[in-house]
Structures are given as structure tokens and as C-alpha cells.
Amino acid sequence: LNRSSDLAMLNKITPELQAELDKRPNADELFRIIIVMADEYDQNQMSRQIQFLGKTERRAYVIEELQRFSKASQYDLMQLLTEGAKANTVTDVNPFWIFNGISCITNREMIATLSQRKDIDCIESDELRNMLPANEKPSKAVAPTRELAWHVTQVHANEVWPLGYDGTGVVVAIIDTGVNYNHADLADHMWDGGLQYPNHGYDYANNDNNPMDDNGHGSHCAGITAGDGTSGIQTGIAPNATIMALKVLGANGSGTSTARTNAQQFAMQHGADVVSMSLGSSGASGSKTDRQAFVNMMNAGIVASIAAGNDGEYYSSSHHTTNDYGQSVYYAVPKNVGSPGNCPPPWHNPDQTLSGGQSAVIT
């Protein structure tokens, strides 16, 4: 597994993981990976089963079915990984159900063993990577007023508030760098996690109970969602929405797909209506795991608001960049939209000529 040509032989190892294997050839190196199972839940069957269920029953059914299906599908592989854990060759085993897969940390020998299994579709890299949109420009300081922020009126949000569309009763999970839940504009809008989650969510970046923002990006996104203007300017598009804080990125904006997936599962299990993810991998083609996860979120009644990234000015293949693995890449439309923002939408306009599947993603 220390030569790129091995990829052609094994073909279940993604190019990104192969690049990691090539970059770190020592036999004792450990790698963060995500194992994607070959079995997928039949979405046509799921659609038939949930079509007459109410909101609460529908979500409960989807979660229960996905958990049952994934546990059965992953059983034999979990036995292997458990044996690997006993032999100290596998750690941090984390089975998922929002898509059918497992993440873990292991060595190249185990990766080689996994790549031969028929029940595995592919093996992806889960190394830390920066997920915040590139080229963001800091906001300019604005003198405190009691006015609405420019972006609120620009999208005409204030015009639908009198009709009752102000976020009342809607839980928005901010999956990001955390949220400053003590901020005056947000403190009255934080999700009540009870005694189990006293700080209004969870921190999957550090695996603790305190999703306090140490970067600022997540709080910015929460303010755009529900900032109520206590500090002087009302920034919230949905000023009566409730914010669930799910931290998946560290202070430098880096995180793993494992943390993000755990946060998505948390949001689904704890009643989020909308998931906000102003993050992604620039220029990525999108993985099978994202497609599965967002289809299942749609089935559970969740809408996902995802960043497109900030590469929109690059409209042709002349735009050249370097990815996380030092590889030269040219991204043209539509690949200048980051992943998972490039997943399908939940609805197709009748005027659209595109065909294909649907998922929860509005980009």
C-alpha cells in the first residue's frame, strides 16, 4: 500500500486515502479512515413506509430503521474491528447509521485487509482538514443601531415575519466551530438540552459537553440565523428560531468527517428541523457518505442549508488550486461548489431540465 499503483489493484481505497498512504509509508503509521459499506437502505422502500406518517412518527421510524439496518449490515465487520482493537491495531471505532459506515483509526495492514472484503464499498480518508470556506472577508465594524442588518432586508425576510414565518418553533442545528451561547443576541434563543446537554448542544471536535465557539465563524452563522438585535443590530433572518450548538471544527477551522457525521446524527435524534453547515471541502466531488446521509435526513424531515464555498468567481477550468494532499487540481463549474453543498436539492423546480435523485441540501 505504499505505491499509487496499488490503487488500481485494490480500487476500494479512494485517491485521497492512497495519497495519505503514499505520503506516510512507515509500517507503524496510523490513519483515520471511514469504511463505507456496500449495502444501502432501499430508499424506494423507505419512501413507501413513511409517506403516511406524521412528523414525529416519521423521524422516529427513519432513525430506528437506519439503526437496525446498519447494525445488521456491519455485524461481521465490527467483529473484525473488535479483534483488531484487542490486538491494538484498531482504535476509536465509531459505527454510523445516518449512512452505512464505520470510522476508526488503524494501520496500513488492516486497511489492506479491509480492502479485500466484499461487504465494503470503499475506504475514505478521515484526516483533519480545513472545512471553512476559503477567501472569507471579515465583516466591517458597524455602529450599534436598532435597525435591521442589510442582509435581512436584502432577502426580504422581514416581509414574511408578519405572516408568521419568523422561525417560531423551528430548531436550527449550527454545525460549525461552536456557538457563543452567552452572546446577548443569542442567549435567549439557545436550545434547551436539559441536564444531559446543559450548554445547548455538544462538542464533537473535542468530545466534551461544551460547544463554546473558539473561532467566531459558528457564532457568526448563528447570528445570521437568529440574532435578535439585543446588542444593537438585528441580524437574524429567523429571529425567533432556536439554536442547537454542535461544534465539529477546532479554533483553526479544521475537523474530521467523523465529527461532522456524529453531529448530523445528534441533530436528527434531538429534534432539529434545519441543519446549517457553512462548511465543506472546496472542489471535492462529494462522497457516497454525504449522498446517503442527506437523503436520510430528508426522509426524516430535515432541511440542510449548506455553504457553496467562495470559489464562485472561478467560472472556467483555468482556475488552478492545490488540494489538501498537494495535488494540482482544476475546478470548473459546477465543481467550484464545495462538498456537501453539491449534493442534490430536496425539490426540483418544474422549469429545471436536470433529472436525478433528491436529498436535503439547499446550497
Side-chain angles (χ1 to χ4, degrees):
L1 291 179
N2 59 359
R3 297 179 60 85
S4 294
S5 59
D6 293 330
L7 177 62
M9 178 180 69
L10 300 177
N11 72 36
K12 293 187 178 183
I13 297 174
T14 63
E16 291 79 10
L17 177 56
Q18 186 64 52
E20 285 290 331
L21 292 164
D22 293 344
K23 188 166 64 177
R24 296 186 281 149
N26 294 336
D28 57 351
E29 287 276 4
L30 296 177
F31 301 87
R32 295 178 179 271
I33 63 170
I34 292 179
I35 306 160
V36 184
M37 305 300 294
D39 290 340
E40 292 185 49
Y41 197 99
D42 185 336
Q43 294 301 334
N44 290 327
Q45 178 181 335
M46 180 69 82
S47 296
R48 291 193 297 270
Q49 291 166 332
I50 64 177
Q51 60 180 325
F52 299 117
L53 297 180
K55 177 180 177 180
T56 302
E57 294 79 11
R58 172 176 175 168
R59 182 175 304 213
Y61 183 86
V62 170
I63 292 173
E64 183 178 351
E65 275 294 283
L66 294 176
Q67 289 176 335
R68 178 196 61 77
F69 176 81
S70 296
K71 184 176 181 179
S73 175
Q74 298 167 12
Y75 181 82
D76 289 343
L77 178 56
M78 284 295 293
Q79 299 298 106
L80 173 65
L81 296 177
T82 300
E83 292 300 315
K86 293 178 181 178
N88 297 318
T89 59
V90 179
T91 64
D92 293 54
V93 178
N94 190 340
F96 301 118
W97 48 264
I98 198 169
F99 68 85
N100 190 11
I102 304 170
S103 71
C104 66
I105 299 174
T106 190
N107 58 20
R108 64 183 59 247
E109 183 178 355
M110 177 59 79
I111 292 173
T113 299
L114 294 172
S115 68
Q116 304 296 326
R117 292 180 62 97
K118 294 181 179 179
D119 57 350
I120 291 176
D121 179 77
C122 64
I123 309 170
E124 302 180 352
S125 173
D126 191 31
E127 298 299 329
L128 277 168
R129 66 182 66 191
N130 189 284
M131 295 189 186
L132 293 185
N135 309 319
E136 286 203 345
K137 299 177 178 63
S139 301
K140 295 181 180 179
V142 180
T145 69
R146 289 294 169 182
E147 298 177 356
L148 298 178
W150 173 85
H151 63 267
V152 175
T153 56
Q154 180 70 9
V155 299
H156 306 284
N158 55 308
E159 296 176 20
V160 301
W161 294 341
L163 304 177
Y165 300 107
D166 58 4
T168 299
V170 177
V171 177
V172 181
I174 304 292
I175 299 179
D176 211 287
T177 62
V179 175
N180 179 2
Y181 45 77
N182 294 323
H183 193 289
D185 288 3
L186 298 172
D188 292 342
H189 301 274
M190 298 306 300
W191 174 69
D192 183 2
L195 295 177
Q196 189 173 7
Y197 303 106
N199 295 312
H200 319 289
Y202 197 79
D203 178 358
Y204 285 103
N206 300 295
N207 291 313
D208 62 43
N209 224 0
N210 188 12
M212 175 57 75
D213 191 359
D214 52 7
N215 174 282
H217 188 269
S219 300
H220 184 166
C221 295
I224 292 173
T225 302
D228 64 11
T230 298
S231 298
I233 300 175
Q234 184 171 324
T235 59
I237 296 291
N240 286 334
T242 297
I243 299 295
M244 177 187 291
L246 295 173
K247 179 175 173 62
V248 300
L249 304 178
N252 63 353
S254 294
T256 64
S257 294
T258 290
R260 179 161 65 84
T261 302
N262 281 329
Q264 290 170 246
Q265 292 185 162
F266 184 103
M268 189 184 292
Q269 287 180 301
H270 292 91
D273 302 290
V274 178
V275 162
S276 170
M277 292 172 53
S278 186
L279 52 76
S281 300
S282 178
S285 60
S287 69
K288 183 176 181 179
T289 58
D290 280 333
R291 291 293 290 268
Q292 283 191 45
F294 286 106
V295 167
N296 289 325
M297 289 173 70
M298 176 182 65
N299 287 333
I302 296 175
V303 170
S305 176
I306 312 294
N310 293 323
D311 291 334
E313 68 269 32
Y314 303 118
Y315 287 112
S316 72
S317 60
S318 62
H319 173 50
H320 170 265
T321 188
T322 303
N323 66 14
D324 293 338
Y325 305 96
Q327 300 164 324
S328 294
V329 183
Y330 293 88
Y331 296 135
V333 176
K335 291 187 177 180
N336 58 356
V337 174
S339 175
N342 55 11
C343 286
W347 177 77
H348 290 149
N349 188 291
D351 294 336
Q352 283 181 278
T353 57
L354 298 176
S355 61
Q358 295 174 328
S359 78
V361 174
I362 298 174
T363 299

